[in-house]
Each structure stands twice: as C-alpha cells, then as structure tokens.
Amino acid sequence: MKYALIDRRRLRKLNKILKKINALSDFMAQLSDEELQYQTVLFKDRLAKGETLDDLLVEAFASIREAAKRILGTYPYDVQVLGAIVLHQGNIAEMKTGEGKTLTATMPIYLNALSGKGVILVTTNDYLANRDAKEMGKVYTFMGLTVGNIAQYDDKKLTPKMRRKIYNCDIVYTTHSGLGFDYLMDNLASSPEHKFLRPFHYVIIDEIDAILLDNAQTPLVISGAPKVQSNLYQMCNDFILTLVKEIDYKVDEEKTSVWLTEKGMKEAEAFFLEKHLYTHDNIKLVQHILLALKAHLLFEKDKDYVIDDKEIKLLDRQDGRVIKGVKLQSGQHQAIETKEHVKITTDDRAMATITYQNLFKLFPKMSGMTGTGKVAEDEFIETYQLEVVVIPTHKPVIRIDYPDKIFPTLPEKLYASMEMVKQLHQKGQPIIIATANVDISAIYSQLLLMEGIPHNVLNAYNVAKEAEIIKDAGQFGAVTVATPIAGRGTDILLGKGVQELGGLAIIGTEKMTNPRVDLQMRGRSGRQGDPGMSQFFVSLEDDVIVKNGAKWLIKHYKELSKTAHSHHPRQLKAKRIARAIRQAQEVSENKGRGARAMALAFDESVKVQRNLLYKERDILIEQSHIPIQNTLETVIDNFIDQTVPLTIQNIERYILDNMSYQFEHHLLQSLNVENKLDVKQFLMDYIQQELTKKETLLKSSQNITNFYRTCVIKAMDESWIGQVDYLQQLRAMMVSRTHAQKDPLKEYKKEAYIAFDDMKNVIKYNILKNVMLSRITIQDDRLSIHFV
C-alpha cells in the first residue's frame, strides 16, 4: 500500500521509538515475574519525582509487552506497537481488521494509567467491553493496576457507591452509551454521596468512526416527568391519510422534511373546523399534523424502527441493531406508535441531554482505533483535532476487491447477486452478504430459503448470538446475511480448506451511505494475509443513488426500467455511470458531514448552558454554607417591580402561592402599599420569620446547610428539565424556519439565549417556593423534607 507523504513521515518518527522499545525486549524477558511487576512501582515513583509519561513510554511499553507475552501468550507485533504509540500521542490509529487492535490498546492504557488519573476504554457494545475487560484485564492486574468494567453489571442494580468504585479503578471498560448516561446521571446527583465520576482524563475509543461520526447526531437523553398526554395523535393521523402527495403536502428530495402546501392548509382548516390554521392557539395542532406526516413519510418500518413485542423500537441504520432505551423526542415516537396502531407510550420530558461529540470533547486527551478512518481524516481534524495515522499490516493484504457490478433495477441486481452466491456456495466458499438495512436482509434471507441454502441472519431481530455467528462466518459452506457493522470487533477465522477455495467472500448488495461502510464490509475478508474477495452489486434503485444521484442518472434509470427483466440482468459498464454512482456516494457523505456539523453547532448552545449549570451544581454540592439571602431578596424585588398596580390583594395572593398557605390576612392591614420599601421590608421580615422557625427545627448547622442545598438544587434541576425539554422542541421546530428563508441556527441560538436568561429567573423564583413551602419532619432523628 502506498501511504501519503505525511504518513510516511509519521511512520519514520514512530519507527525510531519502536527501535528503542525493541532494544529492551531481551532485558525485559530476563526479568522474573516479581521484577517485571515491580516496574509499575518504579514508573509511578519516577512520575512522582517529575518525569513525564513520554519519558516512560519506551520502558513502559516494553514492560507491558512482555507481560502480555507471559499472561496471554501473545507478544505484540511491531505494527501493534506503532499503533500503540499513535494512541498515546492522542491520535487515531487506522489498523485493518484482524490486526489486533485490542492488544494494541494495552500499551497506551498501561502507560497512561500510571498517572493515577484513570483511563477509560470505550467500545461499541457490551459484548466487546466484557470480552476485552476479561482478557486484557489479566495483564493489567498482573502489573499491579486495578480494572473495572461497567458493562458486566445490570445497570439498574448499580448503586452510586458501586459505580464510584468502578470509575475509581486505574482502567475502566464501558460502552459509549453507558459512559454518556453515567455522565448525565452523575450531574443529576443531589449530594456528594450520589456522585460517582472522577474528572475525565484519557479515553481510547474503539471503532471511533462508528461512535464519533455514525452516531454523532444521536443525542443521549435521560427522560422523566411525563407530559400530559395529547389526544391529537389519532385525529392528526386520520387527517393526513386523506391528503394527496404534491397537492396537499410536499417532501424534500432527501426525505428529511415535509410540509403542508397552501391547499393542505385549507384541508386542515376544514377538517379541524378552524378559520385560520397558523395562529398561536393552534401551535399544538400544527405540530401534531407535522408529526403525523413525518411518521408516515420520513420514518420507514424495518429501516428506522421495528415493532417488537408490540413496541416501537428504533434501529441504528448503520448496523441494523435496536437502539436500547432510546425514544424519539417531542412526540415523534408517539406519532409513529399511532401510525402502527400500537399502544401510545408517555411522551417524557428530557431531563438531561448531550451528544457524543460534546461528551468526548470533555476529555483532555482522546484517541481511537478503527479500520476505516483515513477517508474521514479531514473531519476528525476539524471537529476533534485528531489525526489519522495508517499503520502498515503485519502481513500484506492479498484480498481481491473486484469492480462494482451495476444493474438498472433492483430485481436484476438481486438475480445477478444470487447467481454469484449460488456459484460460490456450490464449492463451499464461505460468504457474507452485506445488506444496508433490515428489510433488504429479510429479502435476501427469503431468496436463500427459496434456493435451499442454509444461512444465518444478523440484524435487529437477532443480536443475542451476534459475536458467535460472525465468528463462524469463515467456516466451510457458511452463508451469513449481515447489516454493515453487525458483529464488528469480532475476528472471523477461516475454517479448514477455506483458504484453498479463495477465502471469505464478501457480497455487497448496494453502495452504502459513505465509503467507510463499504471499506468496513470489504475488510471482513483478507485478515492477517488470508485470501479473500469482495464484490459489490449496485442498482440505480439503491437509496444512495435515488437520494443523491444526478438527474440524468435517475432519468436514465426510468428509461431502462421500462424494459427490465429480472432473469436477464443487464450489466451497465459505462464509466460515466460508475463515476456518477461514486459521486452520489460522495454527496451522501458530504450531507452526513454537514448534518454532523449542524448537530454540533446546535448543541453548542446547550453545551454552554449545561456546563454553566453543572459547574454551579458541583460548587453547590461541595459548599459548607449555602447563601440564599440575596437570591430571595432579588425575587421579592422582581415581584414588587413587575406588579402593577401593587395592591393588598396582589401581595396576599403572592404570599399564599409562594410563601405560606397559612398566611393571615390581618397582618397586611397596616401595610402602606404605596411605599415599595415598606412592602419589601414586610415580605423580607416574613421570610426571615419562617426561616428562623425551620432552622430551629433543623437544629444543627449541617442540617440547615443540607436543607438549603436541597432547596436550591431542586429548583435548578426542575428549571433545567424545562429548559432541556424546550430546547429539544425548539430544535425540532427550526426545520420550518429553513423554509421561511431564515437561518435556523442563528434563530435557535438567539431564542436559546433568551430562554436561558428566563430560566435563571425561574430558578430564583423556585428557590423561594422550595424554601418557604417545603415541610420538614423529624422522626427518630431522621430528617425528611417534603416539597409541594
């Protein structure tokens, strides 16, 4: 393989470090186990005396390399050491499938764990986290480091104390989603005892492109506090079924947004007996109409979701897996449930949210591993300041990647691809049929059944034994239908006699959304110098072409489709067509990159607000004294300034609503409402009387501090929940601003800023209510605070 000039320069520098590590191999091999283990003590001592991790790299890598040989029986190859150096330097190591990324990570993990600040290894699923923690954990434990694994536990049974113990280990294994939800949960803690994360230090992300690129637009959301259920879902679902496409509504070419035409608006006004649809009173109605339209036109069953056990479960379009515990926000999930006639679940409010992009940006040092990162290096540098270094393979890649076979229609492509599958299967060559989504995998499964070919299917309906199935995909006669990233991270070993047959065959059933996914599928074959082949079959009906292809290509397809015959497939060999298909894939990838950049830009406002609030919460949790006097005074000043006219009735109503349900009217008889200073003094005196009563009941200064802290945190959390939920809905509404020829991002940031300012006032107001209206009980020396 020819590397770019910049990669060759990088590798020259890395090889100099590699030579120094190799020079210590014999020395390390002569050490006894005890002497080798004692290296950890020596390294920590040297760090304490002022040396850096870079100073220790050569010796530490040589030590852990020797430990891996003794414990695992595997000695990291030179190319794995090169990858390890790249990881330590805070970059991405591109290593082909089967090159041993798991073993590569042991070296930077060990070195960085010596600092005592913790290292987190993030994988894409629980299986990989459990496997790697179990296998590699033996090496770290041998060298005197502690290892924790969040993924091995039932999440619901983990207490904050148990989580704290795991995260305080030198090395922690977890998944990207597990870490994200733990971060959000930690920042919802109401006391030091409920917090469990220590400051982030260094993270290594396995399959980094899948997490930071493919999942970048999926926000992590902790939901709770259900909203009042709307009765508009069914009515709007019934209404949109009466509409006609292009006449009553329109969908954009990319199928990302839908809107009513002028005639559609008239139809809605007639259906719902409204004089004017777009009024302030009809905001909810318009939202639900658009939700119903999106449910029917933008979300496809078996592509975006499946119905499992009478529930709507979302699918990851990249790998066909069910996304556990995630629901669409702002009523979209309920609209899809209505469409599919399943029970409508509650539309919960978003309590806390973060994107993977901003989650991993919290780490001072980040690196990652993947087999397909180079093609996205520009984006990695621009978004994360991570360079991608291509590591040479241990043995030359001898897999044959054949040029794409292009056909006009889907039936012709299916027939041609199945002909090749039958030919390969007849001689026993193992095959992976790579499909883009669940419904195409189901079609191929049916075709294979009709041909009497036994096979395994890996998609959203069959994930329990994913790793075992994919591991056996290289055995004689095996046929596996798999979505792109199913079983990723699991090595496929060739069975007896398979090498002589040509190795594992990859049959791609269409061009994927970006070149990385194509490369991932091809990379399943030809690991560690094994033989193999890949052949992609493409039709002009494939999603990536229909959504992103040139107009002349779509027109050409329509002409050819008139004379199509599935049993006599016509292969299109014109270079112009092949070039147009590559361009369509490039357009698709550019759209994906643009969408990720937009998601990051939208989340920037939330990020700033979230960081400010979480910082205040952390300070509050650690404070030994909680000052609230100024806050209460500000709330009273706002009430007095904003209440016009200021009357006895207004003041009494305010006290009864926010300060005391037992307030006695006669106390206001002598108050001069014309004098604002007198009114303020009266209200502040009344507040102080109530606080004195509560402090007397609480007795100890610690109880008093805990009481005020709880009141303030509750006010902050309730207000933040409302803010997060509002920002989620605001973002969803910004699509309509695009059609109104407004900059949606600019509008979003402006309104988000206004909302944050309003939230700060709401927090202060809620602090007053919590302090004044809460009820304190003490029973058997146990303090309880009851909020209204």
Side-chain angles (χ1 to χ4, degrees):
M1 184 182 286
K2 294 182 179 179
Y3 299 109
L5 178 61
I6 191 167
D7 266 340
R8 289 203 296 270
R9 287 174 180 168
R10 287 166 174 163
L11 287 171
R12 276 200 296 268
K13 291 180 180 178
L14 295 175
N15 274 305
K16 290 179 182 178
I17 302 173
L18 171 64
K19 285 180 181 178
K20 294 178 182 178
I21 297 168
N22 283 340
L24 290 174
S25 296
D26 291 340
F27 171 75
M28 292 296 172
Q30 291 170 7
L31 296 177
S32 66
D33 284 356
E34 292 75 16
E35 289 170 329
L36 183 60
Q37 291 167 327
Y38 192 63
Q39 296 301 307
T40 300
V41 178
L42 296 176
F43 293 147
K44 288 184 176 182
D45 186 53
R46 286 167 60 183
L47 284 173
K49 290 177 179 177
E51 290 193 54
T52 66
L53 293 177
D54 288 343
D55 295 331
L56 300 179
L57 185 150
V58 171
E59 294 162 86
F61 275 28
S63 299
I64 197 70
R65 201 182 184 190
E66 177 64 25
K69 183 178 74 174
R70 296 186 190 187
I71 302 303
L72 304 176
T74 52
Y75 191 67
Y77 298 129
D78 284 359
V79 291
Q80 291 172 312
V81 178
L82 292 175
I85 300 168
V86 170
L87 294 177
H88 168 68
Q89 292 175 343
N91 287 310
I92 296 170
E94 175 174 298
M95 301 175 70
K96 301 306 178 194
T97 301
E99 289 297 303
K101 292 188 282 288
T102 304
L103 191 60
T104 297
T106 58
M107 290 169 270
I109 287 176
Y110 172 71
L111 173 60
N112 285 267
L114 294 170
S115 68
K117 297 177 182 178
V119 177
I120 297 178
L121 191 288
V122 169
T123 68
T124 53
N125 58 61
D126 289 343
Y127 167 78
L128 293 176
N130 288 323
R131 183 199 69 183
D132 295 353
K134 183 179 179 181
E135 292 179 4
M136 302 300 129
K138 299 171 187 174
V139 182
Y140 307 126
T141 305
F142 173 80
M143 292 299 287
L145 298 178
T146 55
V147 181
N149 176 19
I150 286 283
Q152 69 177 315
Y153 297 102
D154 182 346
D155 194 62
K156 294 177 182 177
K157 294 179 181 178
L158 277 173
T159 64
K161 184 178 179 181
M162 292 166 69
R163 290 182 194 274
R164 193 181 309 115
K165 183 179 179 182
I166 294 171
Y167 278 109
N168 280 338
C169 287
D170 297 313
I171 299 155
V172 177
Y173 283 85
T174 185
T175 62
H176 58 307
S177 57
L179 179 64
F181 284 121
D182 278 349
Y183 170 75
L184 294 175
M185 283 169 49
D186 186 70
N187 282 287
L188 289 173
S190 57
S191 67
E193 294 76 31
H194 288 96
K195 291 186 75 67
F196 49 83
L197 285 178
R198 57 170 163 171
F200 288 152
H201 172 53
Y202 176 45
V203 63
I204 296 178
I205 306 171
D206 191 17
E207 308 295 3
I208 191 169
D209 56 331
I211 293 172
L212 291 190
L213 300 184
D214 300 331
N215 288 319
Q217 296 175 70
T218 306
L220 290 156
V221 180
I222 288 183
S223 300
K227 302 172 188 174
V228 176
Q229 189 68 280
S230 170
N231 62 354
L232 289 170
Y233 291 116
Q234 190 62 55
M235 293 171 64
C236 291
N237 189 75
D238 294 342
F239 163 65
I240 65 103
L241 293 175
T242 68
L243 302 180
V244 180
K245 187 178 180 181
E246 296 299 328
I247 297 174
D248 299 319
Y249 64 85
K250 290 191 176 182
V251 185
D252 67 352
E253 289 182 3
E254 291 80 24
K255 280 199 167 187
T256 57
S257 59
V258 59
W259 61 95
L260 290 173
T261 62
E262 193 168 334
K263 185 175 183 302
M265 295 175 200
K266 297 286 185 189
E267 292 289 340
E269 287 165 354
F271 188 92
F272 292 101
L273 303 176
E274 294 288 345
K275 192 172 182 181
H276 298 291
L277 181 63
Y278 285 92
T279 65
H280 185 270
D281 291 340
N282 288 334
I283 288 176
K284 286 289 182 187
L285 174 60
V286 173
Q287 284 179 348
H288 280 74
I289 290 171
L290 291 175
L291 288 172
L293 280 169
K294 288 177 182 177
H296 282 267
L297 301 166
L298 307 187
F299 292 90
E300 296 181 50
K301 183 182 173 186
D302 291 334
K303 280 190 177 180
D304 298 293
Y305 64 89
V306 292
I307 302 173
D308 185 24
D309 196 23
K310 298 182 180 179
E311 289 182 28
I312 299 295
K313 294 184 178 178
L314 301 182
L315 292 181
D316 184 329
R317 274 211 167 193
Q318 291 294 324
D319 61 12
R321 288 192 186 100
V322 169
I323 308 173
K324 294 180 182 178
V326 176
K327 290 171 62 176
L328 293 165
Q329 296 293 304
S330 306
Q332 190 62 69
H333 206 90
Q334 289 68 33
I336 294 173
E337 289 169 333
T338 307
K339 163 192 168 183
E340 297 293 354
H341 308 292
V342 300
K343 183 181 178 182
I344 301 177
T345 57
T346 57
D347 181 13
D348 295 340
R349 301 170 77 193
M351 296 173 65
T353 180
I354 192 170
T355 60
Y356 287 116
Q357 292 160 311
N358 278 320
L359 171 68
F360 289 106
K361 281 186 170 188
L362 294 169
F363 285 85
K365 183 177 178 180
M366 168 171 59
S367 62
M369 304 176 288
T370 178
T372 53
K374 193 65 180 178
V375 291
E377 183 173 24
D378 287 349
E379 185 173 357
F380 276 122
I381 291 173
E382 182 182 332
T383 308
Y384 304 102
Q385 294 75 55
L386 294 171
E387 295 179 355
V388 180
V389 181
V390 179
I391 305 299
T393 54
H394 180 56
K395 295 179 181 178
V397 176
I398 60 172
R399 182 188 66 244
I400 302 171
D401 297 324
Y402 291 101
D404 298 340
K405 290 189 175 182
I406 305 167
F407 300 88
T409 64
L410 175 62
E412 290 174 278
K413 179 186 73 173
L414 289 172
Y415 184 86
S417 59
M418 282 300 299
E419 284 299 302
M420 176 171 269
V421 168
K422 286 190 287 183
Q423 290 170 16
L424 295 173
H425 181 66
Q426 193 170 20
K427 62 177 183 176
Q429 188 169 357
I431 306 163
I432 290 182
I433 301 174
T435 64
N437 50 56
V438 174
D439 56 346
I440 296 296
S441 71
I443 290 172
Y444 272 94
S445 181
Q446 285 297 317
L447 292 173
L448 290 166
L449 287 172
M450 288 168 63
E451 296 291 340
I453 298 175
H455 61 281
N456 284 308
V457 180
L458 285 181
N459 57 29
Y461 296 105
N462 187 3
V463 295
K465 295 184 177 179
E466 184 176 287
E468 286 79 1
I469 292 173
I470 204 72
K471 190 167 59 177
D472 293 334
Q475 299 303 305
F476 181 88
V479 178
T480 308
V481 182
T483 45
I485 315 175
R488 194 172 174 182
T490 304
D491 282 342
I492 301 174
L493 300 176
L494 298 185
K496 187 177 180 181
V498 169
Q499 285 204 4
E500 291 74 15
L501 296 173
L504 177 62
I506 304 295
I507 305 297
T509 60
E510 65 184 89
K511 276 293 185 188
M512 305 300 174
T513 53
N514 60 65
R516 284 184 297 104
V517 184
D518 289 355
L519 291 171
Q520 286 159 12
M521 292 312 305
R522 293 187 195 277
R524 291 293 202 183
S525 176
R527 61 179 294 282
Q528 286 286 325
D530 285 342
M533 61 82 72
S534 71
Q535 174 69 71
F536 272 69
F537 289 80
V538 183
S539 86
L540 302 186
E541 287 189 78
D542 292 351
D543 276 357
V544 73
I545 298 167
V546 171
K547 292 179 180 179
N548 308 289
K551 288 183 179 179
W552 70 263
L553 188 62
I554 305 301
K555 185 179 178 182
H556 187 52
Y557 153 70
K558 289 178 180 177
E559 291 171 358
L560 290 170
S561 64
K562 295 174 184 176
T563 56
H565 194 292
S566 63
H567 293 292
H568 297 93
R570 299 159 293 173
Q571 188 175 346
L572 307 176
K573 297 183 179 181
K575 291 182 180 179
R576 185 187 182 209
I577 292 176
R579 185 166 57 249
I581 290 171
R582 287 195 301 272
Q583 289 170 346
Q585 192 179 47
E586 287 172 10
V587 170
S588 172
E589 171 62 1
N590 288 336
K591 283 179 181 176
R593 182 173 177 176
R596 291 190 288 271
M598 182 63 76
L600 186 63
F602 269 110
D603 198 50
E604 194 62 31
S605 292
V606 186
K607 172 188 168 184
V608 171
Q609 296 181 18
R610 178 176 56 239
N611 289 349
L612 286 170
L613 186 98
Y614 286 176
K615 185 178 179 181
E616 287 295 316
R617 268 181 120 269
D618 286 343
I619 292 171
L620 192 65
I621 285 174
E622 298 298 332
Q623 273 182 329
S624 56
H625 174 66
I626 312 295
I628 64 164
Q629 194 68 25
N630 290 342
T631 300
L632 300 179
E633 195 169 332
T634 300
V635 176
I636 297 303
D637 285 339
N638 288 342
F639 163 68
I640 293 170
D641 292 341
Q642 294 168 12
T643 306
V644 180
L646 199 59
T647 65
I648 292 291
Q649 288 77 14
N650 287 338
I651 294 169
E652 183 175 17
R653 184 73 264 157
Y654 185 80
I655 294 172
L656 288 170
D657 287 343
N658 303 291
M659 296 163 68
S660 175
Y661 299 136
Q662 282 81 40
F663 180 74
E664 297 175 8
H665 175 75
H666 67 83
L667 296 175
L668 289 169
Q669 289 176 352
S670 59
L671 180 64
N672 177 15
V673 295
E674 300 293 328
N675 189 323
K676 291 186 176 181
L677 288 176
D678 286 354
V679 174
K680 177 179 178 179
Q681 190 62 52
F682 173 82
L683 292 174
M684 292 306 297
D685 286 346
Y686 187 78
I687 289 171
Q688 192 55 53
Q689 290 172 22
E690 288 298 309
L691 295 187
T692 301
K693 290 179 187 175
K694 288 184 175 178
E695 288 180 6
T696 302
L697 187 62
L698 290 165
K699 295 179 182 178
S700 72
S701 59
Q702 184 178 347
N703 281 347
I704 293 170
T705 298
N706 288 340
F707 167 68
Y708 287 136
R709 179 187 291 118
T710 304
C711 290
V712 176
I713 287 179
K714 182 175 174 60
M716 291 173 73
D717 288 350
E718 287 182 342
S719 303
W720 180 240
I721 288 169
Q723 176 75 348
V724 169
D725 193 59
Y726 169 72
L727 292 177
Q728 288 275 100
Q729 294 187 57
L730 178 63
R731 181 172 170 178
M733 288 169 58
M734 285 300 112
V735 175
S736 62
R737 300 286 173 96
T738 307
H739 297 295
Q741 295 185 326
K742 293 183 178 182
D743 182 345
L745 184 59
K746 187 176 179 181
E747 292 286 305
Y748 176 82
K749 286 185 174 180
K750 183 177 76 175
E751 295 191 30
Y753 178 80
I754 294 169
F756 189 66
D757 250 14
D758 292 341
M759 185 195 76
K760 289 189 282 189
N761 291 325
V762 172
I763 289 174
K764 293 173 183 175
Y765 170 73
N766 284 340
I767 288 172
L768 172 69
K769 289 187 72 171
N770 289 342
V771 167
M772 296 299 291
L773 295 179
S774 57
R775 185 167 53 88
I776 299 169
T777 59
I778 298 177
Q779 189 172 5
D780 298 328
D781 293 327
R782 185 172 180 175
L783 173 69
S784 297
I785 304 170
H786 308 273
F787 294 98
V788 293

